[in-house]
Amino acid sequence: MSFVEYGDTIKDGDTAIVFLGHESMFPVKVQHGSVTQTKYGVIRHSTDLIGKKYGSKVTCSKGGWVFILHPTPELWTMNLPHRTQILYSTDISIITMMLELKPGSIVCESGTGSGSLSHALIRTVAPTGHLYTVEFHQQRAEKAREEFREHGVEHLVTVTNQDVCKNGFGVSNIADAVFLDIPSPWEAIGHAKSALKAEGGRICSFSPCIEQVQRTCLAMEESGFTEINTLEILLRVYNVRTVSLQIPDLGKAAEDNSSTGFDSGSPSHQGSLCANLQQGTVQFKSGVPLREVVGHTGYLTFATKS
């Protein structure tokens, strides 16, 4: 199993996604002899998972059923164990596009964190590119190495445990893009410039506070970066719902009755008018925004090495 080389069959040692519903799923390490408990009952790895095809519908011990999915960077982002705050697919998609990444690209990243963005970058630059990711925290760096090895992508990534603001990325003049997600990105701009290729390399800095953005932009300008711009991506989700609305009264019935010369004050006419105003309803499908919308996550600042 690999996050970039998809297989059909579930094997011993794979990481799979147990899908109970759109709002309920979790990862599981497939191991011979192991069992996994769900609200629908037990899943026995040896008989229910190993040898089955990804996407299979598996019946649990209580009679309920789940789907077993092949992991992707998007599914991993939704289900990974959080060691830090992570980036989600909304920001990841624009980062991948704005950094102009493609198969064969070389990318430098700091910090690694929980590996949400890392998996997406690896999938994008595979099979001939490489990711150099730097993590200041030793235990998080070791856990990231372990996950990359389990997910079959260790040949596409190099994890380094060091302070990028002091020691840089460990490479020079080879990177097509650099991504920074650290508390003080302005201190690493010089090292990012050294890691980027001679001309045309792209850099992105993710910061939750606008004061961080201001200092980072000044550091980029002082280092000779051009095309500096900052984006904020806000996701607004719409649900498709059946909406029932009353047919509006446009007053035509009232005008028709008044033209006949009836006395509008008579009880008989008032009763007729009320009957005409009783309208039906119409149902149709419509996109309805959620009551609660995900707000600010962070500012994305992009620039180009001139």
Side-chain angles (χ1 to χ4, degrees), residues 11 38 45 58 101 138 158 162 212 219 255 257 259 273:
K11 299 181 177 62
T38 74
H45 294 197
V58 174
L101 301 182
Q138 182 179 357
T158 299
Q162 64 186 29
Q212 294 171 302
E255 292 176 1
N257 287 334
S259 65
L273 186 61

Side-chain angles (χ1 to χ4, degrees), residues 97-116:
M97 183 190 74
M98 294 293 287
L99 289 181
E100 302 174 1
L101 301 182
K102 58 187 182 298
S105 295
I106 296 176
V107 188
C108 293
E109 175 198 26
S110 182
T112 311
S114 300
S116 173

Side-chain angles (χ1 to χ4, degrees), residues 129-204:
H130 200 84
L131 172 66
Y132 294 90
T133 182
V134 178
E135 173 56 51
F136 175 78
H137 194 276
Q138 182 179 357
Q139 290 181 337
R140 288 201 292 264
E142 292 174 354
K143 186 61 179 178
R145 288 194 192 96
E146 179 183 343
E147 285 181 349
F148 293 142
R149 184 170 56 254
E150 291 178 352
H151 299 165
V153 296
E154 71 276 7
H155 61 292
L156 297 170
V157 57
T158 299
V159 182
T160 305
N161 173 220
Q162 64 186 29
D163 185 351
V164 69
C165 296
K166 295 180 179 179
N167 304 313
F169 294 93
V171 296
S172 299
N173 301 320
I174 64 170
D176 297 290
V178 169
F179 176 79
L180 299 174
D181 183 7
I182 54 178
S184 53
W186 56 89
E187 296 181 2
I189 296 299
H191 293 296
K193 183 178 181 180
S194 300
L196 287 169
K197 59 186 181 182
E199 187 177 359
R202 295 280 286 167
I203 183 174
C204 174

Side-chain angles (χ1 to χ4, degrees), residues 7-213:
D8 293 331
T9 306
I10 304 172
K11 299 181 177 62
D12 187 17
D14 282 3
T15 298
I17 304 296
V18 179
F19 181 89
L20 292 83
H22 289 290
E23 303 297 329
S24 179
M25 62 184 95
F26 59 89
V28 62
K29 178 71 175 295
V30 178
Q31 293 179 320
H32 185 77
S34 297
V35 297
T36 297
Q37 294 282 350
T38 74
K39 62 182 180 180
Y40 300 125
V42 174
I43 300 174
R44 295 175 175 81
H45 294 197
S46 300
T47 57
D48 297 334
L49 298 184
I50 298 176
K52 299 290 183 65
K53 287 189 175 182
Y54 279 106
S56 296
K57 182 178 178 180
V58 174
T59 302
C60 304
S61 61
K62 293 182 180 179
W65 47 267
V66 299
F67 288 105
I68 308 300
L69 306 180
H70 195 290
T72 65
E74 290 78 16
L75 288 174
W76 185 246
T77 291
M78 297 171 63
N79 295 282
L80 59 78
H82 285 232
R83 299 183 289 273
T84 59
Q85 181 60 269
I86 68 170
L87 289 175
Y88 291 91
S89 297
T90 306
D91 288 319
I92 291 173
S93 61
I94 197 71
I95 290 169
T96 303
M97 183 190 74
M98 294 293 287
L99 289 181
E100 302 174 1
L101 301 182
K102 58 187 182 298
S105 295
I106 296 176
V107 188
C108 293
E109 175 198 26
S110 182
T112 311
S114 300
S116 173
L117 176 64
S118 304
H119 283 82
L121 295 177
I122 291 170
R123 195 261 308 271
T124 302
V125 303
T128 57
H130 200 84
L131 172 66
Y132 294 90
T133 182
V134 178
E135 173 56 51
F136 175 78
H137 194 276
Q138 182 179 357
Q139 290 181 337
R140 288 201 292 264
E142 292 174 354
K143 186 61 179 178
R145 288 194 192 96
E146 179 183 343
E147 285 181 349
F148 293 142
R149 184 170 56 254
E150 291 178 352
H151 299 165
V153 296
E154 71 276 7
H155 61 292
L156 297 170
V157 57
T158 299
V159 182
T160 305
N161 173 220
Q162 64 186 29
D163 185 351
V164 69
C165 296
K166 295 180 179 179
N167 304 313
F169 294 93
V171 296
S172 299
N173 301 320
I174 64 170
D176 297 290
V178 169
F179 176 79
L180 299 174
D181 183 7
I182 54 178
S184 53
W186 56 89
E187 296 181 2
I189 296 299
H191 293 296
K193 183 178 181 180
S194 300
L196 287 169
K197 59 186 181 182
E199 187 177 359
R202 295 280 286 167
I203 183 174
C204 174
S205 174
F206 177 89
S207 298
C209 302
I210 196 64
E211 292 81 6
Q212 294 171 302
V213 175

